[in-house]
Amino acid sequence: MEAADNAGEFEVPPQADELPEEVSVAAEVNSDGGQISAHSSTEAMQSAGLSSIKTPQSDAIVPECDSLQRKTLRAAVRKEIMEQGLNRLTTCNGVTAVPFLQVLLLLLSDLDSPDDYVTLEVCLQELLGKTINFKQNWSDLTERSDKAEVELAVLRLFSVLMSRSHQSERPADSKVNVCAASVLIKTDCLDFFLPLLKQLLSFWKTYNPDGGTTDSHLLFTPQTVPKYDMSPFFLRQYVREHPTDVFEVFPQLQSEMVLRLINQMKKISDGSPELSSLKFTEEWTWVLSDYMGVCEAAFIKRQVRKLLSNICGSKENYRRVRDINTITTRMSLVKEAAVACGLTNNFDITARTTAIPYTTLTSMVENLKVVQDIASSRCLNWQKYCVKSGGNVELLLLLCVQLNQGLPDALLALLHSAVTKPAAEKSGSASSSLPVNDDDVVLHKQVIQEILTGVSPSLLSEFLRINLLQSNQTAVRDKTHAIVLSLFNEAESSKKIVLLNHVWSLWPQLPLYGKKAFMFVDILGYMIINADLPESAKTDFVRGITNLLIFCNKQLREHQNTNIYNMLQELVDLEGYYLEREPCMTCNDPEIPYNSYKLNNIKVDNKFTTTTHMIKLTSGHMISKIQVRLTDIKKSKMVKSMNINYSSRTVQSAVELKNRVGIWQLAKKVNLSANQSEVKIDFTVPITACNLMIEYTEFYENNQAVQESLPCPRCSASVPTNPGICVNCGENVFQCHKCRSINYDERDPFLCNSCGFCKYAKFDIVLVARPCSAVDPIETEEDRAKTLNSVNTMLEKADKTYSEMQSIRCTLERLIMQLSASKADSVTTSVTASAAGSVHINKFIQQVAQKYCDEAKKHFDELSKSMQKVIMCRRELLEFDSKQALETLEHRGLGDTPSSASVSGRPFFADQVKAEEEESKKTLEKLRLSQQSSSSCYGCLTVTVYHCISLIRALSTQSFAPDASPLIKELVLSNLNSGPMMLRHDAMQLLCSLTQDKYEANKLLYDMLYHRICEAMEFCTSAASLAMNIRSELAVVSLSVHADPNLWEERMRVVIKLYSQALLTGKSHVIEAVALSCLGIIKSQIVIDSKPLSSKHRDKTLQEIAGLEIADNHSLLNVGLWLSSNQWHSFSEWRNLTKSLSLKSKSKYDKNALQRKYFKIWKTNIRNRQAAMTELDEHSWLASVLFNPASQTSREMCADIVGRMSEVPHRKLLLVSFLSKLLAKVPSAGTHASNFITLYTKLVSEPEIKYYLIIKCNILMKIAEIISKEIADLCVLEETTLGSDLSQGWGLQALVSIVKSFLEDEKIRQRYKTKLVGTVLDGYLSLRKLVVQRTKMIESTQELLLGLLEQLTTGTEAETKEFMSVCIQTVGKYNPTDLRSPVFIFERLCSTIRPEENAVSDFLIILDKDPQQEEFLQGRMSGNPYLSKEPGLGPLMRDVKNKICTDCELVALLDDDSGMELLVNNKIISLDLPVVDVYLKVWQPARDNEPMRIVYRMRGLLGDATEDMINSLQSNDVEEEDAEKVYSMASVMPQCGGLQVMLTRLDYIHNYYRGKQLVQVLLKLFDYCLKLNVNRKEMIKPEIDTISVMLRALNRALRAEQQVGQTVTAPAGQSNTEKVVQLMEIVLSEASHLPPHDYTEFTKRCGDSNQLMLLLERIDSPFVRSNPAVLEALMRLIPFLACGEEDKMATLVNHFKPFLNFLE
């Protein structure tokens, strides 16, 4: 056992083994425990007045005496003490008796023989007989007296003796404690201790550890404590703490001693066979449990807990006893509070009292939460209590009905625990450690039996109505749902029906509660389905639900706002119904969650005193928690305690908060520790407050921390606190630092009474609350008049708001009418939606949304709040009037009324009293009805319809069979096209459930739907109106077709009829709205088994796999007869007409076998004919749907249907052939053919299909014709129009892609290579010419054609030469004036003859300034890195230099090629070199895959350059190569007439600037061709006239270069003039090897004298003179041209003759 070693705890000294190590008992205590030294005993005897007692041979005592002598001496002393000293104990007090008992303890502790034990027992009996009377009067056992102190000391002696076995290992000690326990047991001390504990219990109930107790009988005159040691009766530490009176805390010592003795006695009696075990009655456990509930001292609780555990014997019994006692105590307190508040007086639903003080309500909730904690952890003990003490469950139900704030959570949790199975009963549950026996399992069933039989039906129904329907808290409804579910699941079958009837009785009230009834409907449906009901009862339930559905639909149809709500929900999302005449408190009283608010954000005004902060809130708030955070705390004055007060009354001004003291109620008192910086105040019951008051009541004041001087608030000078006046400026240093206010009543207040500033701390207050509506309670007639005035004011405001709402309603109706009559192109307005642009919305829709969702909602919320306050005020008025009436009746019944005889003689008096009672009940009934919503609320009616539909749908899935006909009609007529979309969807689902497997119901439904859809198709003139009118009907059709596999044929028949009817109308909007939906349904019904076939059936058709064949011609289904429901043309009949081809099914003998054989042959032939005849027509409806420009969805569905149908093998070829015919429609359809192209590409992806189309349809040539025609059309558009469609060329791209997919097959490509190359080349060249009609699709198509051209032109040398011939032929097709188209062909020929090496498509360029010239060159190239294809960056490095000069504004260097240098890879690059070549040959070898860095600088600015100069990139490898081999492919040019074509094209170019590209590529191609001897010989033939053509070209080149002012360079870096001269020199050089006669004939065709003269004139031009290279080339050419012709020679001499006259 533990000892109380802390200061302030009162404890009789425990034994050595029970003491902590840090506590010392006494220095004189020996190691054997409890024995006192001789020196100490002598002092004790002298103090006790026993020193005169003489002992035999006392003078002979010496330290060396043996143990026998010591024993004899002690026996003699003990005898004398027992004879002379016991009488003195009756006259002394406790302090005086302690020394005597110390000596006696010393003498009795050294016994080891049986005679000694007898002596010990006799001594103890005498001691008890002299000191304690266990039969005394029990009325004043706790009163302190000298006798009571002695009794306490004697009991302590027995306690020490009984604990000896724990302090020593001697066997004698165990007999001592048994002997002491035996003496106490024989005296029946338990009968004495029990009343004593009961009387002490009252002390502990009023005990306060901080302030002690105030009982007067516990006061006693202090005594003087001796200085000697009082152990082991009192510890030294205890004596030091109570130096004046060791018995100062007598009740504590008495309680601890009694409990210790009982514990020791129980332990010894249980462990000793010599003693009988103590028997404790149930009263003991009850008293000890009370101690555990009320005791505040920790060490007393330990003793009680130990004793109670020993009595109970096990942990489970201990818990049970504790729980039962705690539950009983707490529930009795709750019941007392309920009785005091009048909550249990004859329950009447019309007489409910709710005015309960907050403190009482808090106390009830705290008690219930304690019980709830026990019930949640050990529900068996709670159930045992409920069964044992009847009426408690009814009390809980009554409190749930009567109270609606704070209590329902705890009450419902207790009810749920009472009716729930024990934890061990649930499978897999191990939450409880208590064993569950068979009797415990049925405890909850007994509670359920009590609820269903012992509780009044009206109370149970009211409980269900309030907590399952009316409560505004979702958690309350959920818990009530769980309670009812447990009641139903665990009740007997007959009681289940009783409970179901209770719940069903509330069904007619469902429209009053709307959205709050979800849990009610859920539990009702569960109970109806799982209850054992007869068929008649099931029918009655369904009929009742149907009747309510019909009633609510009728109310909705007749509602004044039905039409406008139905129109509005098509335009905006209806989050609420804001046009109601009377706001519904169910729909417009949402459950607002608790949120955190800073106090400054929700306050209106505040007032202060020196210790109080009073706040007026913006509105009523329900507060559950307050968090106060303190910062900048000053230790000189800290808050020790604070009170939170609140007021639910509204005030006009915050000044009233100071003056009206009576409005405040205390909510909670909080104590703080020193330096505590945060306080969290949780309210057991949330408070409803309009005003708050935080009062700081006590403080920690540290006088040492008070500053001796303070800074002056004006001049900051240090001023002594006494007197506190600044000598410089005269300011008072105690004034408020914030507002400078001076409090003359209190020099140093905690708060400024003007502004609330606190210099000792800063307060940050946060409330966890939610807004609520609160009205002032009515207590007097003055309050009643004030409330009436407030009601009138709010009604005036509500009337004004309602008038504005009516105006908004009229505006909405007008806007909706204008919307239906307006045109779409004239009513759009731009609304900015995002940064990407603006969204155009119909302006009437925008105005409707603004009016309804903003203005109407705002006014309706104001109206709702006003009416809510009006209703609350009226409720208060009714309650006040009813109370007044009841008080009047009570006064008449209790006052001086006549006797019964006189009353009988005056019957009018009794009638008047009865009438007033009835009037009071009617008033209270109005009060109850005012808490419910109106059944005319549109929202509640709509939600009720949803509840009915959901419930009927749930019942229809079970064994309930409602009458489908009236329900189907009601749903189709009322709920299919009106109400929210969720309600419509549920109605559709219910219709599917009602018609599942029911032929008649299905026929009724589909007849109604078919007629409604047909009427809509006939009368609706637009797609929007038609879709709006029939969308629900079509949705029902779609859902039902998918839902029921048994009636699919009947439903599909209606779908096909609707589809056919829509197509027959020919109206686009009908086809789009109806046919498209039907097409989607048909698509969904096409199911193909996607499982892979086994190897056994892989090569078989579906018919072969199935083993079926067509029996006769009737199996070819006639759609018309099938639609007319002909019984011989149905699916079942078709299936019956099929039979298996298995040999096992054939009979052994068939007399008609021969006839059937020839008939089968004839049928096969006819079928083949029919197959040929049944090929699909390209003008069929399928084609029109596949390319329908009006509907993307229809195209997708149609393509999907065709794709699914093509999965059947024998249909695939037929469909592919049909789709191939439709390829001609692709160019005109454009992007509308996307689904068709996707489908076609998928179908022709297999090689077998491609071969089939190639062989049978010659598909590639047909597509080539389509492509050529489309390109020709584009060329026509190019010449005739300026506009183009962005999707132009989409179809062309798709067709080219198909061709490409075919040519990916090697066999097909080899066969069609020569056939398609011309078409592809021509198409590519045609597309290259497009400018106006060029789009992204055209570009893509051009790239595809180029790729195809690459595929078609790669191959053997013979194929390449054939391609070159085709190219020459293609050039001949173009007009000679076309300077663009032939460029590609000639470039292609150049690349074919000599492929380009290391060609790159694109690369990056970085242009950087030389860092050393930063100060001299302005500007910077900010676009790094640049793409090489950007304008200005090629083809020569000179262009790069010019771009740098332009962007950096270096105008002076723009025309000066010598002023700027460009460096690449630290080498100076010539400006005449191509950029691509520089990248490939200078940059890329050193730094691959990096952007080329070009550094620019001014030449010579920092001295001469030291880098290498690159002027040419020509490779010597070409010169070493054999030209005849390298350019061997050019040998085909003379064979196909290519040289003649090239000369013709060159001769037709008159403007070399405009035809620059063609000139350059022709010169390049001539250069390649003249590398071969065969071409040179061909070029000198007279009939080709090469020199004349080139001479004209030379003159044109010179003229063009002179006009432009710069040299037009050829690709190799030479000018065109130089290149032409070079080519002419090659031809003339080859011609010089001709025989003289032939050469003469050749020279005659080398131009005439006029041409020569023109060429000579060009020499004198400034351009030629400024270009030495051109001049030198001309000088070499002219002699060749003049040689052999006299007139030319004369012209040449005459031209130079003036310059040969040297004399002049």
Side-chain angles (χ1 to χ4, degrees), residues 1448-1484:
C1448 296
E1449 299 182 0
L1450 302 173
V1451 184
L1453 301 175
L1454 188 60
D1455 297 328
D1456 184 7
D1457 290 346
S1458 62
M1460 179 177 285
E1461 293 177 339
L1462 300 181
L1463 285 80
V1464 176
N1465 200 16
N1466 204 26
K1467 291 181 176 60
I1468 302 174
I1469 306 300
S1470 173
L1471 300 181
D1472 293 330
L1473 296 179
V1475 179
V1476 176
D1477 293 345
V1478 173
Y1479 174 76
L1480 293 175
K1481 299 180 180 181
V1482 179
W1483 179 264
Q1484 194 175 34

Side-chain angles (χ1 to χ4, degrees), residues 112-344:
D112 54 3
S113 65
D115 295 337
D116 293 338
Y117 300 145
V118 174
T119 303
L120 174 64
E121 184 176 357
V122 172
C123 290
L124 294 177
Q125 289 177 353
E126 292 180 2
L127 179 62
L128 285 178
K130 291 290 186 178
T131 57
I132 303 176
N133 181 16
F134 290 109
K135 306 298 183 181
Q136 62 181 323
N137 186 11
W138 294 343
S139 59
D140 55 353
L141 295 179
T142 61
E143 184 176 357
R144 180 180 174 184
S145 62
D146 292 343
K147 182 176 181 299
E149 291 177 357
V150 173
E151 291 176 353
L152 181 62
V154 172
L155 291 177
R156 175 56 186 154
L157 174 67
F158 275 87
S159 175
V160 172
L161 290 174
M162 285 190 290
S163 63
R164 283 306 170 88
S165 61
H166 299 285
Q167 299 181 11
S168 178
E169 297 180 356
R170 296 186 305 168
D173 291 337
S174 62
K175 296 182 179 180
V176 171
N177 61 9
V178 173
C179 182
S182 175
V183 172
L184 283 176
I185 293 174
K186 291 178 181 179
T187 59
D188 294 332
C189 59
L190 292 181
D191 296 337
F192 170 77
F193 289 151
L194 181 61
L196 177 60
L197 289 175
K198 288 183 178 179
Q199 294 182 20
L200 288 171
L201 184 62
S202 61
F203 164 78
W204 290 116
K205 288 182 178 180
T206 59
Y207 174 71
N208 185 1
D210 297 330
T213 181
T214 57
D215 292 345
S216 60
H217 70 278
L218 297 178
L219 300 179
F220 197 78
T221 304
Q223 300 178 358
T224 301
V225 180
K227 298 181 179 179
Y228 59 84
D229 185 16
M230 302 183 73
S231 63
F233 292 89
F234 296 101
L235 289 174
R236 288 184 176 181
Q237 179 182 357
Y238 174 78
V239 175
R240 285 195 300 267
E241 293 173 356
H242 303 81
T244 59
D245 184 9
V246 293
F247 292 97
E248 180 181 2
V249 286
F250 184 76
Q252 290 92 320
L253 295 173
Q254 200 172 27
S255 301
E256 195 276 341
M257 194 67 257
V258 170
L259 293 171
R260 182 186 292 274
L261 279 175
I262 298 174
N263 270 316
Q264 292 173 330
M265 292 167 59
K266 174 66 176 173
K267 185 175 182 180
I268 294 173
S269 63
D270 292 342
S272 176
E274 302 173 5
L275 300 178
S276 60
S277 298
L278 294 179
K279 303 297 181 182
F280 294 90
T281 61
E282 186 178 356
E283 190 175 6
W284 272 97
T285 60
W286 199 262
V287 171
L288 293 176
S289 297
D290 286 343
Y291 268 89
M292 292 297 297
V294 302
C295 185
E296 297 294 339
F299 64 91
I300 292 296
K301 271 195 172 183
R302 286 195 298 269
Q303 297 290 340
V304 173
R305 185 184 300 109
K306 184 175 182 180
L307 177 58
L308 186 58
S309 299
N310 291 333
I311 294 174
C312 294
S314 65
K315 186 177 181 180
E316 290 74 18
N317 288 336
Y318 171 77
R319 284 182 175 178
R320 179 182 58 79
V321 171
R322 285 287 316 279
D323 290 346
I324 295 297
N325 176 265
T326 303
I327 293 172
T328 303
T329 304
R330 299 290 181 170
M331 289 302 297
S332 62
L333 294 176
V334 172
K335 188 172 182 179
E336 290 175 3
V339 172
C341 296
L343 299 177
T344 58

Side-chain angles (χ1 to χ4, degrees), residues 1256-1308:
K1256 186 175 181 180
C1257 305
N1258 195 15
I1259 189 65
L1260 285 181
M1261 300 311 298
K1262 290 183 178 180
I1263 296 177
E1265 293 176 3
I1266 299 172
I1267 292 174
S1268 299
K1269 183 177 181 301
E1270 178 64 14
I1271 292 176
D1273 294 340
L1274 289 175
C1275 293
V1276 173
L1277 292 175
E1278 178 75 15
E1279 301 296 334
T1280 57
T1281 61
L1282 292 177
S1284 65
D1285 186 3
L1286 290 178
S1287 62
Q1288 188 78 270
W1290 191 96
L1292 189 61
Q1293 180 190 15
L1295 293 174
V1296 175
S1297 300
I1298 294 174
V1299 173
K1300 180 181 178 182
S1301 66
F1302 273 87
L1303 293 180
E1304 289 175 354
D1305 189 284
E1306 180 65 24
K1307 297 178 182 179
I1308 298 176

Side-chain angles (χ1 to χ4, degrees), residues 518-534:
F518 279 98
M519 303 307 295
F520 172 82
V521 174
D522 179 76
I523 192 63
L524 178 61
Y526 178 83
M527 295 168 68
I528 294 176
I529 292 173
N530 293 278
D532 188 11
L533 297 174

Side-chain angles (χ1 to χ4, degrees), residues 908-925:
F908 67 92
F909 180 77
D911 295 341
Q912 184 179 2
V913 172
K914 184 176 181 180
E916 290 182 357
E917 289 179 353
E918 294 295 331
E919 184 65 25
S920 176
K921 288 186 176 182
K922 290 181 180 180
T923 302
L924 293 174
E925 179 65 18

Side-chain angles (χ1 to χ4, degrees), residues 1576-1615:
R1576 293 196 295 270
K1577 291 183 179 300
E1578 183 71 19
M1579 291 287 284
I1580 62 177
K1581 289 182 180 181
E1583 60 271 15
I1584 295 181
D1585 198 11
T1586 303
I1587 298 301
S1588 298
V1589 174
M1590 288 191 174
L1591 188 57
R1592 290 193 291 271
L1594 179 59
N1595 287 318
R1596 293 168 184 167
L1598 288 171
R1599 184 171 64 248
E1601 291 173 350
Q1602 184 176 356
Q1603 291 176 355
V1604 175
Q1606 61 181 1
T1607 303
V1608 181
T1609 58
Q1614 299 174 321
S1615 65

Side-chain angles (χ1 to χ4, degrees), residues 783-949:
D783 294 339
R784 187 178 186 278
K786 181 180 177 181
T787 304
L788 286 175
N789 293 332
S790 177
V791 168
N792 294 333
T793 303
M794 287 186 290
L795 286 177
E796 292 178 0
K797 181 181 178 181
D799 184 68
K800 182 179 179 181
T801 305
Y802 182 72
S803 301
E804 294 176 353
M805 288 178 55
Q806 290 298 107
S807 175
I808 293 174
R809 175 192 171 91
C810 296
T811 305
L812 287 173
E813 291 178 348
R814 177 178 54 80
L815 290 173
I816 292 174
M817 292 178 61
Q818 292 178 351
L819 177 63
S820 60
S822 62
K823 300 297 181 180
D825 57 349
S826 61
V827 293
T828 57
T829 183
S830 178
V831 179
T832 300
S834 64
S838 60
V839 179
H840 294 283
I841 302 175
N842 187 294
K843 69 177 183 181
F844 293 126
I845 296 179
Q846 183 183 1
Q847 293 177 11
V848 167
Q850 183 178 2
K851 282 288 182 183
Y852 184 79
C853 299
D854 293 340
E855 298 181 17
K857 183 178 184 299
K858 177 182 177 181
H859 287 86
F860 187 73
D861 289 342
E862 293 178 0
L863 181 63
S864 300
K865 293 178 181 179
S866 300
M867 294 307 299
Q868 187 176 13
K869 287 189 176 181
V870 168
I871 291 175
M872 295 178 69
C873 291
R874 289 173 175 173
R875 189 181 303 165
E876 291 291 334
L877 288 171
L878 291 175
E879 287 182 358
F880 179 77
D881 293 342
S882 63
K883 289 179 182 178
Q884 293 294 321
L886 291 175
E887 290 177 0
T888 303
L889 293 177
E890 291 176 359
H891 177 72
R892 291 180 180 178
L894 299 176
D896 297 332
T897 56
S899 62
S900 58
S902 61
V903 169
S904 61
R906 297 166 59 191
F908 67 92
F909 180 77
D911 295 341
Q912 184 179 2
V913 172
K914 184 176 181 180
E916 290 182 357
E917 289 179 353
E918 294 295 331
E919 184 65 25
S920 176
K921 288 186 176 182
K922 290 181 180 180
T923 302
L924 293 174
E925 179 65 18
K926 292 180 182 179
L927 174 62
R928 184 181 72 85
L929 294 177
S930 67
Q931 300 175 2
Q932 302 176 3
S933 61
S934 174
S935 61
S936 62
C937 172
Y938 189 90
C940 290
L941 290 172
T942 303
V943 176
T944 304
V945 171
Y946 173 79
H947 291 327
C948 295
I949 292 176

Side-chain angles (χ1 to χ4, degrees), residues 1218-1401:
F1218 166 70
L1219 295 178
S1220 298
K1221 297 178 182 179
L1222 302 180
L1223 288 174
K1225 297 180 178 292
V1226 172
S1228 59
T1231 56
H1232 301 145
S1234 58
N1235 301 104
F1236 170 82
I1237 292 298
T1238 303
L1239 173 64
Y1240 188 81
T1241 305
K1242 179 182 178 182
L1243 294 180
V1244 301
S1245 59
E1246 300 177 7
E1248 293 80 5
I1249 302 298
K1250 293 180 180 178
Y1251 298 154
Y1252 169 78
L1253 294 175
I1254 290 291
I1255 296 171
K1256 186 175 181 180
C1257 305
N1258 195 15
I1259 189 65
L1260 285 181
M1261 300 311 298
K1262 290 183 178 180
I1263 296 177
E1265 293 176 3
I1266 299 172
I1267 292 174
S1268 299
K1269 183 177 181 301
E1270 178 64 14
I1271 292 176
D1273 294 340
L1274 289 175
C1275 293
V1276 173
L1277 292 175
E1278 178 75 15
E1279 301 296 334
T1280 57
T1281 61
L1282 292 177
S1284 65
D1285 186 3
L1286 290 178
S1287 62
Q1288 188 78 270
W1290 191 96
L1292 189 61
Q1293 180 190 15
L1295 293 174
V1296 175
S1297 300
I1298 294 174
V1299 173
K1300 180 181 178 182
S1301 66
F1302 273 87
L1303 293 180
E1304 289 175 354
D1305 189 284
E1306 180 65 24
K1307 297 178 182 179
I1308 298 176
R1309 186 169 65 252
Q1310 290 298 330
R1311 180 175 179 180
Y1312 281 88
K1313 179 178 290 187
T1314 57
K1315 296 180 181 180
L1316 293 177
V1317 67
T1319 303
V1320 173
L1321 180 59
D1322 184 60
Y1324 176 76
L1325 296 176
S1326 299
L1327 293 181
R1328 279 174 58 93
K1329 295 190 300 181
L1330 297 181
V1331 177
V1332 177
Q1333 299 299 322
R1334 181 167 294 276
T1335 61
K1336 181 65 177 177
M1337 300 300 173
I1338 298 294
E1339 291 283 353
S1340 301
T1341 306
Q1342 183 177 321
E1343 293 177 1
L1344 287 174
L1345 288 173
L1346 181 60
L1348 288 178
L1349 193 60
E1350 293 286 348
Q1351 289 183 355
L1352 297 176
T1353 55
T1354 55
T1356 63
E1357 183 177 348
E1359 291 175 347
T1360 304
K1361 290 182 177 181
E1362 186 177 357
F1363 165 69
M1364 295 176 67
S1365 301
V1366 173
C1367 290
I1368 295 300
Q1369 296 173 8
T1370 304
V1371 172
K1373 297 179 182 179
Y1374 290 99
N1375 194 320
T1377 59
D1378 188 355
L1379 303 179
R1380 301 186 59 183
S1381 300
V1383 173
F1384 170 77
I1385 299 177
F1386 291 130
E1387 288 177 348
R1388 190 69 181 177
L1389 290 173
C1390 290
S1391 62
T1392 303
I1393 296 172
R1394 178 66 186 272
E1396 297 287 342
E1397 297 179 359
N1398 300 327
V1400 292
S1401 59

